[in-house]
Amino acid sequence: MLTAEQIRSGFIDFFKGVDHTFIPSAPVVPVGDDTLMFTNAGMNQFKDIFLGFKTSETKRAVNSQKCIRVSGKHNDLEEVGIDTYHHTFFEMLGNWSFGDYFKAEAIEWAWKLLTEVYGMDPDRLWATVFAGDTEDGSAPDEEAESLWSRVTSISPDRVVRSGKKDNFWEMGASGPCGPCSEIHIDLGPDRCDMTHVPGHRCAVNAGCARYIELWNLVFIQFNRQEDGTLVPLGARHIDTGAGLERVASVLQNKTSNYDTDLFMPIITALQDLTGHRYTSKLGNKTDNAFRVIADHIRSLTFSITDGVTPSNDGRGYVMRRILRRAARFGRVLGANEPFMHRLVPVLADTMGNAFPELRERADFVATVIEAEESSFGRTLDRGLEIFAGAAARAKQSQDKIIRGEDAFQLYDTFGFPLDLTQLLARERDLKIDQAGFEDLMTQQRERARAGAKATTGLANLTGVALPVTDDDQKYTTDTCPARVVGWIDAQGLTQAGSLSGSDGPLGLILDTTCFYAESGGQTGDSGVIQGDHFEFAVETTDKMADCVIHRGKLGHGVITVGDRVKARVDASRRASQKNHTATHLLQWALQQVLGDTVRQQGSLVCPEYLRFDFTYPKALTSEETQQVEDLVRDKIAGALPVTCAVMPIDQAKELGAMALFGEKYGNEVRVVGIGAGSRSELATAVSREFCGGTHVSNTSQIGGVAIIKEESISAGVRRITAYTGEGLNHYLLERSRMIDGLCSQLKVSPDQIETRVTKLLEDNKKLAKELKAAAKQGGTDPMGQARALLDKAEKINEASVIVGRIDAAPIDQVRAAVDMLKKKASSAAIVLGFSEGDDKVMLIVAVTDDLVKRGLKAGDIVKQIAPLVGGGGGGKPQMAQAGGKNPAGLDKALAEAVTLIKNQLQ
């Protein structure tokens, strides 16, 4: 039986044997494509080639692509766990031809791999071809149909025609497209899941599980125009995709993808963690939970490895939803404490050979997941209680719908994503008032969709080959002569004629430029492009494929294609260069102080300041921050030369140059070395990084550095903000003015400020202690009053019933008194209440663990007595609290608490 690793490597080796170049998987976060939330197909990284934006470095390619489908039309989230084959994360095996071989080779090689290399029974395989479409006039793919019989041994009666839905691929409403040929396998009559449907007949594409698709061969040969007509492409391409999980289930003779060796190590570890057994059955809540968690830990681990951390917007919010969904399924298996982080090493071991980045970042990923689990775990149980109340109200209503405001409260207060609330509702045959929820959630939903924003102008450029810009001069000069080759506006790309009077956004394209396009965290350059008859103000610069786009506005005059111009970058570029080189020094210094586990997570380099995000589990101490800053300053003062060199990526790796996780690199990379006077000295440089940005030529040009902030931006990720150059000068000037102001207010000299402030803080602390002591003397000592209640407490079966009034006090002091009572009594049910003024009441309820096991829960008690003081509340079985507005009902509430406790304990 072939392992998944053998299946993957067998696929890659087969196509390498017919002259394909292996292309490593792109990150699950699309690089340079904001139209996608996540990489969801093998062809994503080749999109610009199919669109005609760039040419391929190779004519034939093969890879196994990491994919995530949790958003947009490709969203499998709700199906995961319910069946045997839906996943949020999967691997897509694929081979591509860019204007090289076409249908005959694609069909012949696919057949040969499946039947001869993998050993599948050819008599169980079927093929589908495009049947044509009468609506758009497209013809049947008779070429592919005849090729199947000519280049393979398949029986002609197992080559069937199928419609546009299954056998015609399109990238969008317009653009490259073409017919498909799918390979299906017959798993046998016993696999049919439609026997209950009257008149059902098993067949390919008939909707039952007997026949499943293994491999899709896409023949990209047309360009669909905006009017819907199909025009043959000048260069025809091949794009194929076979899901590794599905192929593995067939070759390993499993009835479920989850039973293959891609998932079973995770499921086995989960069994060990929870004590529950996986039986591989459908419709079983326990088995569903196993499948959901096994799937979701793969999405989480791969996405965090590639740079996505759980957050409240964009891709980060999608991952937070997935993690919280998995955490809730963990409760089904009795996992009430963080557990998913323990599965990360298992996954890294299972898939680390194919994706070594999993092993490299396993500790970081586990840290992030554990922190996120712990955070959500603190509110999950309480949220489930709130949901139970909302569900009870819905069951009593005629429409069986949970109110939108309840769903919103679960999201806003307890962190329940809507799909988690919907899942819980479906389990109880209830629905959600989604319209009401959406009314309350508009702003949050806009944030959550931020990661899927559309790229301006892209829709108008589909299928258009953009001009190639020579931007090599961005590294050597701030000014250069150039020629106008076109522009992009709301109408799309123009490469002929003239333009005048435009006051809208415009993207000017030159044949050559010295402007740096936004990339690698460095912002795009601004400046001026001047011709004999116009002046164009460049506000920023970006890049689409190999075309540099100078975005800005036409100040005056007329632009004509072919105009000779002078491009001049603003002087602020030099400030960006200082910040960029300082960022490299900062990463080096952080690794010196904190260790090699520090890795860049992102950066922002602009003229005003630099920002650097890095992996580290805790806040830096002031001493560590000072050490980092001192190391950077030392290298600036050392006037180290900075050398940049382009080289093959393997050579750069041998030099030990650091790459950014989640970034996609070509065969050649640019390496920036600090402390190297020439290319030959790069091996001994202080810092070596893959980088396409602009830098100073000597560290002395940076001028200085100051770290102004160190903060957490998500679990396991820290952020440093710093100033250099002019930004540092402005910062120091502002601080000097602040010190002058403090000196004036405190009436001391600058060197006495620290002593004076220390004295003020000590005086303030002393006064606070005196106030606290005075409060105790006045009778408001909750600790003493709690002891008095303990002394006279009634005991029931060795359990103390400690119930009574205390004087109003800060809530933290009351909680401390409760903790003291639990320790001293060992076994106790505690209810303390106090009022503040005429309209405020507080109730604190606590139950020791031994009584919780006997069915007495703090949350249940507080929910029943809170209405007596005109309020509500809740909490966990061990501790709960409530607030109210009716002090007159406090005695009655305390008496009711005693009754409830006695009834439960007796």
Side-chain angles (χ1 to χ4, degrees):
M1 186 179 73
L2 293 174
T3 65
E5 194 159 321
Q6 290 170 330
I7 296 167
R8 184 194 298 113
S9 61
F11 187 97
I12 293 168
D13 290 343
F14 175 85
F15 282 102
K16 285 168 71 175
V18 284
D19 300 324
H20 285 61
T21 300
F22 172 67
I23 306 294
S25 172
V28 294
V29 180
V31 177
D33 186 355
D34 288 336
T35 65
L36 282 175
M37 184 77 84
F38 293 98
T39 298
N40 59 20
M43 59 77 60
N44 289 164
Q45 66 172 310
F46 306 118
K47 183 177 175 181
D48 283 350
I49 298 171
F50 293 135
L51 289 171
F53 290 168
K54 63 188 295 186
T55 56
S56 174
E57 296 178 2
T58 180
K59 289 291 186 181
R60 301 178 180 186
V62 61
N63 91 336
S64 183
Q65 175 61 50
K66 305 176 288 188
C67 297
I68 290 180
R69 289 186 178 176
V70 286
S71 58
K73 66 179 182 179
H74 298 299
N75 186 352
D76 295 335
L77 182 62
E78 298 304 322
E79 306 301 322
V80 171
I82 297 173
D83 58 29
T84 62
Y85 56 88
H86 276 102
H87 310 293
T88 58
F89 173 88
F90 62 96
E91 276 185 73
M92 186 65 80
L93 303 170
N95 60 288
W96 290 268
S97 166
F98 306 114
D100 188 37
Y101 66 84
F102 203 47
K103 296 180 184 179
E105 295 88 343
I107 291 171
E108 180 183 1
W109 289 335
W111 182 262
K112 186 174 182 180
L113 177 61
L114 292 179
T115 59
E116 297 181 23
V117 177
Y118 289 157
M120 289 187 186
D121 182 356
D123 293 334
R124 295 171 60 197
L125 298 178
W126 292 65
T128 64
V129 295
F130 180 49
D133 189 80
T134 54
E135 288 189 12
D136 66 10
S138 51
D141 191 358
E142 295 177 352
E143 179 188 8
E145 189 174 41
S146 64
L147 281 169
W148 273 106
S149 298
R150 227 169 50 231
V151 302
T152 77
S153 61
I154 195 171
S155 172
D157 62 353
R158 293 205 310 279
V159 180
V160 296
R161 293 187 177 189
S162 195
K164 187 175 180 180
K165 176 178 176 291
D166 294 306
N167 279 78
F168 197 90
W169 176 87
E170 301 188 70
M171 187 177 289
S174 61
C177 58
C180 308
S181 190
E182 296 179 337
I183 303 173
H184 295 248
I185 188 166
D186 181 359
L187 298 175
D190 60 324
R191 294 291 293 275
C192 177
D193 58 353
M194 302 282 284
T195 54
H196 62 285
V197 178
H200 171 73
R201 185 177 67 86
C202 292
V204 172
N205 287 335
C208 76
R210 174 177 173 177
Y211 294 89
I212 64 167
E213 175 199 337
L214 287 179
W215 202 342
N216 188 14
L217 316 178
V218 181
F219 312 127
I220 304 174
Q221 62 188 95
F222 299 113
N223 189 29
R224 190 176 291 281
Q225 306 297 296
E226 292 190 1
D227 63 3
T229 58
L230 295 175
V231 176
L233 286 170
R236 301 182 301 180
H237 311 296
I238 291 292
D239 167 21
T240 85
L244 174 62
E245 292 77 9
R246 188 170 290 186
V247 174
S249 71
V250 170
L251 293 177
Q252 295 177 11
N253 196 29
K254 303 295 184 183
T255 58
S256 167
N257 293 359
Y258 291 96
D259 294 345
T260 67
D261 62 347
L262 287 165
F263 290 91
M264 282 309 298
I266 302 171
I267 290 174
T268 300
L270 194 52
Q271 289 182 131
D272 294 340
L273 285 172
T274 64
H276 285 263
R277 298 295 97 190
Y278 177 65
T279 64
S280 193
K281 294 178 181 178
L282 297 179
N284 176 313
K285 283 188 177 181
T286 300
D287 283 355
N288 285 0
F290 272 105
R291 286 187 286 268
V292 169
I293 294 166
D295 169 88
H296 287 8
I297 194 62
R298 289 172 21 121
S299 281
L300 288 164
T301 301
F302 275 94
S303 62
I304 295 170
T305 295
D306 283 352
V308 179
T309 52
S311 66
N312 281 332
D313 56 20
R315 299 180 178 104
Y317 181 61
V318 173
M319 284 303 113
R320 176 163 282 172
R321 287 168 49 204
I322 287 176
L323 190 148
R324 293 183 172 185
R325 196 170 186 270
R328 184 265 162 183
F329 275 100
R331 292 295 198 270
V332 175
L333 301 179
N336 297 317
E337 299 297 328
F339 69 97
M340 281 183 288
H341 64 285
R342 299 181 186 276
L343 301 174
V344 174
V346 181
L347 179 60
D349 185 59
T350 302
M351 302 184 73
N353 289 341
F355 304 103
E357 62 270 23
L358 292 181
R359 288 186 176 136
E360 293 172 19
R361 307 205 85 194
D363 290 344
F364 166 67
V365 172
T367 297
V368 171
I369 291 177
E370 183 178 14
E372 189 72 16
E373 283 185 278
S374 299
S375 174
F376 185 50
R378 287 191 286 270
T379 60
L380 177 56
D381 290 327
R382 177 60 183 145
L384 290 172
E385 288 181 11
I386 296 295
F387 174 82
R393 287 191 293 273
K395 280 189 176 293
Q396 294 171 2
S397 67
Q398 289 185 343
D399 52 15
K400 309 298 181 190
I401 294 177
I402 291 175
R403 300 179 306 176
E405 52 262 41
D406 289 330
F408 177 77
Q409 181 193 12
L410 284 166
Y411 170 86
D412 196 46
T413 306
F414 299 99
F416 277 43
L418 179 62
D419 48 28
L420 175 55
T421 307
Q422 289 172 323
L423 171 69
L424 295 168
R426 278 197 305 274
E427 291 175 351
R428 293 161 175 78
D429 296 322
L430 299 172
K431 295 181 179 179
I432 303 286
D433 174 15
Q434 192 160 342
F437 175 84
E438 299 292 0
D439 287 342
L440 296 167
M441 279 286 296
T442 301
Q443 292 182 355
Q444 288 94 327
R445 291 178 67 209
E446 286 176 354
R447 284 204 313 271
R449 288 197 299 265
K453 62 184 179 181
T455 301
T456 303
L458 186 61
N460 295 316
L461 302 176
T462 303
V464 177
L466 292 171
V468 175
T469 310
D470 177 3
D471 62 349
D472 287 346
Q473 294 187 71
K474 66 190 176 189
Y475 297 125
T476 57
T477 183
D478 291 342
T479 62
C480 73
R483 182 174 60 85
V484 175
V485 297
W487 54 82
I488 300 172
D489 57 15
Q491 283 68 51
L493 174 66
T494 299
Q495 291 183 273
S498 300
L499 178 71
S500 63
S502 173
D503 58 357
L506 195 65
L508 195 59
I509 303 172
L510 309 178
D511 64 338
T512 186
T513 186
C514 55
F515 279 71
Y516 179 85
E518 179 176 348
S519 179
Q522 182 174 334
T523 57
D525 284 339
S526 59
V528 174
I529 297 172
Q530 200 157 21
D532 292 339
H533 307 291
F534 74 91
E535 184 172 283
F536 183 82
V538 181
E539 296 168 351
T540 189
T541 309
D542 56 28
K543 200 170 188 178
M544 189 178 295
D546 295 319
C547 180
V548 175
I549 302 167
H550 307 81
R551 297 193 181 273
K553 292 184 179 179
L554 177 60
H556 62 81
V558 178
I559 302 175
T560 302
V561 172
D563 277 353
R564 295 289 175 181
V565 300
K566 183 176 183 180
R568 186 172 70 252
V569 178
D570 189 82
S572 61
R573 142 93 76 85
R574 287 189 281 277
S576 293
Q577 292 177 185
K578 294 175 183 179
N579 282 330
H580 205 153
T581 306
T583 301
H584 285 217
L585 285 174
L586 182 60
Q587 176 162 220
W588 165 80
L590 283 165
Q591 291 180 339
Q592 297 300 304
V593 175
L594 306 178
D596 291 338
T597 56
V598 168
R599 286 288 184 272
Q600 181 177 347
Q601 279 293 105
S603 65
L604 174 64
V605 176
C606 60
E608 293 77 22
Y609 60 92
L610 68 89
R611 200 174 68 201
F612 185 74
D613 302 338
F614 59 99
T615 58
Y616 198 63
K618 58 185 179 181
L620 273 66
T621 64
S622 57
E623 291 80 9
E624 288 170 335
T625 302
Q626 189 62 56
Q627 280 182 279
V628 170
E629 193 175 87
D630 289 344
L631 283 170
V632 176
R633 284 177 176 162
D634 180 62
K635 297 307 175 188
I636 292 171
L640 303 180
V642 179
T643 293
C644 306
V646 176
M647 63 185 67
I649 189 168
D650 291 339
Q651 183 182 344
K653 289 178 179 178
E654 288 175 9
L655 285 172
M658 287 187 293
L660 177 63
F661 275 106
E663 192 67 49
K664 182 70 177 174
Y665 297 99
N667 293 328
E668 287 195 329
V669 295
R670 184 169 178 263
V671 175
V672 175
I674 301 175
S678 64
R679 182 188 183 107
S680 62
E681 296 176 5
L682 281 171
T684 59
V686 170
S687 164
R688 297 176 298 278
E689 290 191 36
F690 290 24
C691 184
T694 61
H695 290 267
V696 298
S697 59
N698 190 287
T699 58
S700 62
Q701 296 166 4
I702 299 172
V705 68
I707 295 174
I708 62 163
K709 186 187 292 185
E710 192 276 333
E711 59 188 325
S712 170
I713 58 169
S714 64
V717 181
R718 311 294 301 177
R719 169 174 290 170
I720 280 179
T721 304
Y723 286 131
T724 71
E726 283 302 306
L728 175 59
N729 291 339
H730 288 306
Y731 170 70
L732 294 176
L733 181 60
E734 284 298 314
R735 291 193 68 170
S736 176
R737 288 171 177 163
M738 288 173 60
I739 290 172
D740 288 344
L742 286 170
C743 288
S744 176
Q745 287 185 23
L746 300 174
K747 301 189 184 327
V748 295
S749 61
D751 60 329
Q752 296 174 320
I753 287 180
E754 186 174 357
T755 302
R756 179 70 173 125
V757 170
T758 300
K759 180 68 166 60
L760 287 172
L761 291 172
E762 289 174 350
D763 290 346
N764 186 63
K765 189 175 181 180
K766 182 179 177 183
L767 285 170
K769 282 184 177 180
E770 291 173 355
L771 287 171
K772 189 174 181 180
K776 288 182 178 180
Q777 290 175 4
T780 57
D781 174 19
M783 199 70 75
Q785 293 176 327
R787 288 193 188 94
L789 290 172
L790 174 62
D791 291 340
K792 62 181 183 181
E794 181 181 356
K795 281 199 173 187
I796 300 176
N797 296 327
E798 300 305 316
S800 298
V801 181
I802 308 168
V803 179
R805 274 180 180 263
I806 61 172
D807 293 332
I811 196 67
D812 59 333
Q813 293 184 24
V814 178
R815 286 202 184 102
V818 169
D819 290 340
M820 178 273 296
L821 290 172
K822 288 172 73 175
K823 289 177 182 177
K824 284 188 173 294
S826 298
S827 177
I830 304 159
V831 183
L832 302 181
F834 63 87
S835 61
E836 293 181 286
D838 297 327
D839 60 355
K840 186 175 180 181
V841 183
M842 285 298 298
L843 291 165
I844 306 292
V845 182
V847 178
T848 52
D849 288 339
D850 63 312
L851 300 186
V852 171
K853 291 177 181 177
R854 291 167 59 181
L856 186 63
K857 298 179 181 179
D860 293 343
I861 296 171
V862 87
K863 279 191 288 188
Q864 293 187 61
I865 66 174
L868 299 177
V869 293
K876 294 185 176 181
Q878 292 83 3
M879 178 77 80
Q881 71 179 59
K885 299 179 180 179
N886 179 24
L890 180 55
D891 290 335
K892 187 175 181 182
L894 295 172
E896 178 66 16
V898 172
T899 301
L900 291 170
I901 294 168
K902 286 183 175 181
N903 289 341
Q904 184 67 40
L905 296 180
Q906 287 175 338

